[in-house]
Every structure is written in structure tokens, then in C-alpha cells.
Amino acid sequence: MTIILLAVGLFEPELAPAQGTLYLSNLGETPTGSMATGSNAWLAKSFQTGTASGGYVLNSVQLLMDDASGNPSGFTVAIYDYNSMFNPGSRLGSLSGSDPPVKGVYTYTASGITLSRLTVYFIVMTSATAIEDGSFKWSFANPGLSSASDRWNMGIYYNTSPDGSDWTRTAGPYFQSGVYATTVPEPATYALVGLGLVCLNFWRARKPSILAKQ
């Protein structure tokens, strides 16, 4: 059992490159506006994952941001699952990145967030500053998608909340983002690789005794 676990550990990094695959993006669209976010104005945009039977490991999310107003701070980006009302439910994890004070594309990296196949999730943003004192601004565009693959798609609604708890769901616009992920191999793949390495280890252990008899 220990050898199999070690074999899986050796095999996994080759299947999880840091960058991953860009499955969903509308970053190539021309922005038509932006919306402010702050501690009293949370923003969320839904997306749906694709068909990979083992699901996906989230690598990173890219966001197209507009110039901030005032002096905001403490920008945060997180991934949420959805509840029965198709609003953000539980937080699955926060992403790492910097405050976005000026217009541009910003990358926020994930750690330990696994996404199930054909499932809705939300990119949720807020900050430590009330929008009256300063706000970050998320750009949006219409039409919505410039690229998508493996049946990933972007939701037609966005969600707002004053506190990250009570959400309002509204149709459009399409907030601009790109999602990078890596497919998770099926358990059978890990088992086959582990079994192969166990057999290889057994053959190496037996090899000296075989040679000694020749």
C-alpha cells in the first residue's frame, strides 16, 4: 500500500502543470462597462464546468479589472459552490493575488480547490473597503464568450450582495474572466500506474537473485 501511494505521488505532478488549460474566457471581448465592488457590494459570476469524469483541479482565475476609484484595499477573490436558489452557497477556497488598482488583467491562483464535472460554481469578489470610500471595478462585456471548450460555459446571470450572505440574482452583463484548470484522472488510472510501479519494484528486487543463478 505504501508503495502504491508513493507511486501516485510521483505520477501526480506530471498531470497537474501550474498553468493548466484555459477552459473558459471572455477576456478577449471589448469591455462595455464595469461594476464597483467593496465590503458592502459583493459581486459574483457563475460558470459551469465541463465533462471530465474525474472533475478538475482549479489552477487560476484571470480577471479584467477597470481603474479603481478612491483608495480601496483588501481585494479578495474566492470560489463558491451554489445553493438551491442558484446563488453562491459555501466558500470552497480563496485565491491568491494582488489588489487591482489600475485597468488590466490580473491573475489569482488557487490551491486545493477541486471542481466536479458539469457543476455550477461562482467567482466571488469583495474588499475590505466600503464602496463609498473606494472601490475596485470588474469589467464586463457583451456578448459573453470569446472561447470555451469541453462544454464549460458562463452563466447568463450575475449576483450581488451587501454582505456576502443575502444575494440578488440579475440577468447579464458578462463579467470578464478566464478560468484555468487541470483534469483529474479517474481512480482507475492511478491504480494502473501504481500497480505498474509496484511490479517494476518487485522485478528490480528479484533481478539480483536471478543473475546470481546464471
Side-chain angles (χ1 to χ4, degrees):
M1 179 62 70
T2 301
I3 295 174
I4 293 175
L5 292 174
L6 288 173
V8 171
L10 290 171
F11 185 66
E12 188 172 8
E14 296 182 8
L15 296 173
Q19 182 70 358
T21 298
L22 179 62
Y23 279 104
L24 183 69
S25 175
N26 64 343
L27 295 173
E29 300 294 333
T30 301
T32 56
S34 62
M35 190 172 293
T37 185
S39 61
N40 57 346
W42 294 48
L43 288 178
K45 184 62 180 178
S46 63
F47 66 91
Q48 180 177 292
T49 57
T51 62
S53 58
Y56 304 83
V57 173
L58 180 66
N59 297 112
S60 63
V61 170
Q62 290 186 321
L63 305 174
L64 179 59
M65 305 297 293
D66 202 353
D67 291 327
S69 63
N71 296 293
S73 63
F75 183 71
T76 61
V77 181
I79 300 297
Y80 282 60
D81 62 12
Y82 71 97
N83 61 24
S84 59
M85 300 300 293
F86 284 93
N87 288 318
S90 301
R91 177 156 62 176
L92 302 182
S94 297
L95 309 186
S96 300
S98 60
D99 286 356
V102 297
K103 183 182 300 183
V105 175
Y106 293 80
T107 300
Y108 297 89
T109 57
S111 177
I113 299 177
T114 301
L115 309 176
S116 300
R117 69 187 297 268
L118 297 174
T119 302
V120 174
Y121 296 94
F122 290 86
I123 301 169
V124 178
M125 67 169 62
T126 184
S127 78
T129 310
I131 59 172
E132 295 81 7
D133 301 318
S135 63
F136 298 105
K137 296 182 179 179
W138 195 359
S139 294
F140 56 77
N142 287 303
L145 285 178
S146 54
S147 66
S149 61
D150 189 30
R151 291 180 60 185
W152 284 64
N153 66 75
M154 189 173 292
I156 62 174
Y157 295 91
Y158 73 96
N159 305 67
T160 57
S161 173
D163 55 9
S165 179
D166 297 318
W167 292 92
T168 299
R169 188 166 173 249
T170 307
Y174 294 91
F175 289 98
Q176 293 185 263
S177 60
V179 182
Y180 287 85
T182 301
T183 57
V184 177
E186 296 182 42
T189 302
Y190 281 128
L192 287 173
V193 173
L195 180 60
L197 291 179
V198 168
C199 292
L200 178 61
N201 185 71
F202 178 78
W203 180 82
R204 286 176 175 172
R206 294 273 298 169
K207 186 175 180 182
S209 61
I210 293 173
L211 292 175
K213 295 178 180 180
Q214 294 179 350

